[in-house]
Amino acid sequence: MIGILVVSHEPFGSALIRCTRHVFGRLPPQLAALDVVPDENPEMALSAGRELLARINDGSGAVVFTDAYGATPSRIAAQLAVPDRVRVVAGANLPMLLKALQNRRMPVDELVEALLDSGHRSIRALDADDGAASPPGPASP
């Protein structure tokens, strides 16, 4: 099963992972976060990322999510990439993470393509009527 690591600005990764517990009722296996703190030594963070990745990757590969492309966490995450084994996806959001958790038996490259599509589709403008609950009582004519 594909391991999933979130490398991000503190506390985004840990918070994102805690959201999965809300959705699934428990923390999924082979899931970890590396929250990069301000002024952290990037080499130490990279070392911690490698340790976490080794812990969650059972040999099936891994997806590493990061929050903001080009920032320190994404530069750390990029160094964890291994062609055809460990892919890195920037711009992490909850729908992408949930999609990854539900499709971890796919080949890594196919999963990443599905995640990119999911990420694009999950970003949209909402109008006041979108998702609004109907008021209790009889329906309007």
Side-chain angles (χ1 to χ4, degrees):
M1 179 167 51
I2 293 173
I4 298 172
L5 175 63
V6 181
V7 179
S8 63
H9 294 87
E10 176 193 42
F12 182 71
S14 292
L16 199 58
I17 285 175
R18 280 194 305 276
C19 288
T20 66
R21 181 175 34 198
H22 177 85
V23 173
F24 295 115
R26 63 177 173 76
L27 284 175
Q30 293 175 249
L31 174 64
L34 174 64
D35 290 328
V36 179
V37 298
D39 301 321
E40 183 170 8
N41 178 326
E43 289 303 317
M44 291 184 73
L46 177 60
S47 177
R50 285 185 174 132
E51 288 175 24
L52 285 170
L53 197 55
R55 207 175 315 152
I56 63 166
N57 187 353
D58 66 6
S60 302
V63 173
V64 178
F65 286 102
T66 189
D67 51 2
Y69 174 77
T72 299
S74 77
R75 292 193 308 272
I76 292 166
Q79 294 178 69
L80 298 172
V82 176
D84 302 319
R85 303 297 307 148
V86 178
R87 297 286 308 272
V88 179
V89 177
N93 62 44
L94 184 58
M96 291 169 67
L97 180 57
L98 296 176
K99 178 93 168 180
L101 289 167
Q102 293 170 329
N103 294 282
R104 296 201 284 176
R105 303 238 183 253
M106 297 173 75
V108 174
D109 289 334
E110 286 180 35
L111 178 57
V112 167
E113 291 307 313
L115 295 175
L116 295 175
D117 181 57
S118 175
H120 287 120
R121 286 185 294 112
S122 68
I123 298 170
R124 52 183 68 221
L126 299 179
D127 294 324
D129 293 337
D130 289 336
S134 300
S140 303

